[in-house]
Amino acid sequence: MRSGTLPMAVLRAEYEAVRFPLQLVEDVGMAHLDQRAPLRLAYEKMLATADSAAAHLLDDEAAATRACALRQRTAAVRVTVALRKRRTQQRLEAEGAARMERWRRHRARLRPGRG
């Protein structure tokens, strides 16, 4: 056994013990929320970040696998949310531009000597 192997194993076990309640909250509480719910996405991002840190600092392959799986699972949802938000913004901008054009035409009709 290399020097430092036992302490790393202990730290990995401690991380797993700390992560257990977080996973329980994910499985029991967050699973009932819509996949696009900001709270759920933020929670899953926090878990993925914690697992990535554990994977790097503790050389924990299980944490790396969990982080990757969480990111893959939420990636499609995040893209969908971002695209929907972008389409909404574009629609609102188009509606605003159309209102401004109608207003401009209306004012032009009201000006004396034009028409």
Side-chain angles (χ1 to χ4, degrees):
M1 187 179 285
R2 291 181 324 175
S3 171
T5 304
L6 183 61
M8 289 302 275
V10 170
L11 287 174
R12 278 189 218 104
E14 287 177 355
Y15 175 71
E16 292 298 323
V18 167
R19 195 182 184 292
F20 179 76
L22 297 174
Q23 187 62 48
L24 192 61
V25 169
E26 167 75 9
D27 294 342
V28 175
M30 296 298 160
H32 293 291
L33 296 176
D34 182 45
Q35 286 184 329
R36 297 169 302 203
L39 179 63
R40 181 174 179 169
L41 290 172
Y43 191 80
E44 289 175 345
K45 182 177 182 180
M46 182 271 307
L47 279 180
T49 301
D51 282 339
S52 291
H56 178 72
L57 297 171
L58 304 174
D59 195 28
D60 187 343
E61 196 61 39
T65 302
R66 281 193 307 264
C68 185
L70 265 172
R71 285 196 175 102
Q72 285 178 348
R73 191 173 76 212
T74 61
V77 174
R78 289 182 184 281
V79 168
T80 301
V81 168
L83 289 173
R84 182 173 290 150
K85 186 176 180 179
R86 181 176 173 199
R87 281 193 307 268
T88 300
Q89 184 63 34
Q90 288 173 335
R91 180 181 51 80
L92 291 173
E93 288 172 2
E95 289 172 357
R99 272 194 304 274
M100 289 301 291
E101 180 61 21
R102 284 193 304 270
W103 175 248
R104 188 192 62 75
R105 288 181 184 172
H106 175 72
R107 287 192 56 165
R109 282 193 308 262
L110 294 177
R111 287 188 189 140
R114 299 237 171 158

